[in-house]
Amino acid sequence: MKLPLVLLSFATLLLANPSVCLPGEAASSTSPSLKEAFKDCFLIGAALNESQFTGRDARAAALIKKQFDSITPENVLKWGLVHPQPDTYDFGPADRYVEFGQSNGMFIIGHTLIWHSQTPHWVFHNADGSLLTRDALVTRMREHITTVVGRYRGRVKGWDVVNEALDEDGTMRSNYWMRIIGPDYVQKAFEFAHAADPAAQLYYNDYSLENEPKREGALRLIKALKAAGVHITGIGVQSHDKMDWPTAQQLDATIDSFANEGLKVMITELDVDVLPAAFRGPSAETSLNAKLTKDLNPYTNGLPESVQQALAKRYAELFSTFLKHRHQIARVTFWGVTDGNSWLNNWPVRGRTSYPLLFDREGHPKPAFDAVIGLATRAHLE
Ligand code: GLA
């Protein structure tokens, strides 16, 4: 009997965490949607691909409208897609993304302005292959941010201004931005974004912030930005999680330390990897790549019930911590909608069958969905 076990786990979590997210509504046989269940706690978001926000994937579009009240573009606002050539912007897909969010009354996120990945070679190099000067790269950065943020001024409500500027040890990552401009590239990016849309929320976004050295590095960065008078409103904790990482204590400490700096905390790229680890350590470094083997891809014919239940329990643990910190957390965004379109089918091993989200490949809610909803609704009944 698996159900009683899961319910028992909920009861334990709820005793530790008597939260109320669903005022005036009792749990019923028809589950509320995620956005309804958490409406008094935080926004619930999803990262969308183009077929979803254009409606080409009609089933996914319907699911998104029902379940989520915030959206993030998985790719279409990354530099390489929106600004592929020096004098060419391709705003078509991004415009559709923003229209989808607006017509469905969603809180629209822009992801991401400055990153080391998915950024074309030409951004940093002259035609002869030499590196740009600091001044030239600052000018290029200003032009890009002013154009992109300016176009969606007042409509995109929050921007991941800088993504992944830190290494695991908390020092600045040696990317082209750092090497050519220096550490103040982060400050400049925030200043240009703020000038382009003074009302927009501006975030720093990164992974593995739950690990102390990287978290300390992020805190140093935030303090330096604040000391320089920079407008920074929030921090994105990506949360590409494992079954055993981060611990609740790590998450508690992470959320508290950023909230203590006066920042909104956002869980920005949530998923839980149930597949065997191809690498040691909980990194979400996108350049990692391992060879596909049978051992690394054990669930090609479906997720065994025991793993399904373990995932539900893991999601309940995570949301229990989010609920405990609901006054500090503004949004919880999943990186994808259904298991079938998660990046974890192709990272860090191409061609695996992964199960990291709340909806299965057919768009049906998984036990993990019930676990998360149950946490919100049962909390109200306690
Ligand atoms: C990082 C980025 C995201 C996305 C994921 C993997 O976390 O912030 O934009 O590329 O990697 O899909």
Side-chain angles (χ1 to χ4, degrees), residues 78 111 115 118 163-164 238 240 269 286 335 343:
K78 290 175 180 169
H111 172 87
W115 191 23
Q118 294 184 260
N163 199 29
E164 303 177 353
Q238 288 188 5
H240 292 294
E269 305 188 14
T286 47
W335 202 252
W343 72 302

Side-chain angles (χ1 to χ4, degrees), residues 118-138:
Q118 294 184 260
T119 304
H121 185 260
W122 65 259
V123 174
F124 309 107
H125 296 86
N126 295 302
D128 66 3
S130 60
L131 287 182
L132 256 62
T133 62
R134 170 182 157 97
D135 283 355
L137 188 56
V138 169

Side-chain angles (χ1 to χ4, degrees), residues 90-344:
D90 179 7
F91 284 119
D95 284 356
R96 301 290 301 276
Y97 161 75
V98 173
E99 281 157 20
F100 179 86
Q102 279 201 292
S103 56
N104 293 294
M106 293 160 162
F107 191 89
I108 304 171
I109 302 298
H111 172 87
T112 176
L113 295 170
I114 299 297
W115 191 23
H116 62 274
S117 181
Q118 294 184 260
T119 304
H121 185 260
W122 65 259
V123 174
F124 309 107
H125 296 86
N126 295 302
D128 66 3
S130 60
L131 287 182
L132 256 62
T133 62
R134 170 182 157 97
D135 283 355
L137 188 56
V138 169
T139 302
R140 190 159 272 178
M141 176 198 266
R142 181 195 285 118
E143 192 273 333
H144 175 83
I145 292 178
T146 307
T147 306
V148 176
V149 176
R151 183 177 184 90
Y152 301 113
R153 184 179 166 129
R155 294 188 285 160
V156 168
K157 301 291 185 192
W159 283 96
D160 290 336
V161 178
V162 175
N163 199 29
E164 303 177 353
L166 295 165
D167 271 328
E168 296 299 302
D169 67 358
T171 61
M172 294 290 288
R173 185 192 278 263
S174 172
N175 59 23
Y176 279 126
W177 299 108
M178 177 72 180
R179 280 156 58 193
I180 299 174
I181 298 178
D184 62 335
Y185 84 85
V186 176
Q187 174 177 341
K188 292 201 173 302
F190 275 86
E191 286 170 354
F192 298 150
H194 187 49
D197 186 352
Q201 297 183 7
L202 304 182
Y203 320 129
Y204 175 71
N205 192 52
D206 212 332
Y207 60 82
S208 296
L209 294 173
E210 297 86 341
N211 293 340
E212 203 172 339
K214 196 158 180 180
R215 176 162 78 241
E216 291 300 323
L219 287 166
R220 282 193 295 276
L221 184 65
I222 289 161
K223 287 184 170 124
L225 290 172
K226 282 168 54 182
V230 168
H231 180 83
I232 172 169
T233 43
I235 180 116
V237 178
Q238 288 188 5
S239 304
H240 292 294
D241 290 347
K242 312 288 178 203
M243 293 297 276
D244 59 357
W245 180 92
T247 64
Q249 289 73 15
Q250 284 177 307
L251 204 47
D252 278 337
T254 306
I255 296 167
D256 282 340
S257 56
F258 293 132
N260 289 343
E261 288 301 317
L263 297 183
K264 284 176 189 291
V265 179
M266 263 115 355
I267 306 298
T268 52
E269 305 188 14
L270 179 61
D271 47 26
V272 178
D273 195 355
V274 297
L275 297 182
F279 293 95
R280 286 163 66 105
S283 177
E285 169 59 50
T286 47
S287 60
L288 290 176
N289 184 3
K291 201 168 156 299
L292 178 63
T293 61
K294 237 177 152 178
D295 287 353
L296 288 177
N297 194 21
Y299 309 131
T300 49
N301 293 321
L303 200 57
E305 189 57 22
S306 59
V307 187
Q308 192 77 265
Q309 295 301 328
L311 179 66
K313 184 160 179 279
R314 177 63 174 142
Y315 261 112
E317 279 164 8
L318 288 168
F319 270 79
S320 170
T321 306
F322 300 156
L323 286 173
K324 181 167 134 197
H325 292 274
R326 65 190 179 280
H327 301 299
Q328 298 158 315
I329 294 180
R331 169 169 56 93
V332 175
T333 289
F334 293 85
W335 202 252
V337 179
T338 69
D339 286 342
N341 46 51
S342 165
W343 72 302
L344 292 174

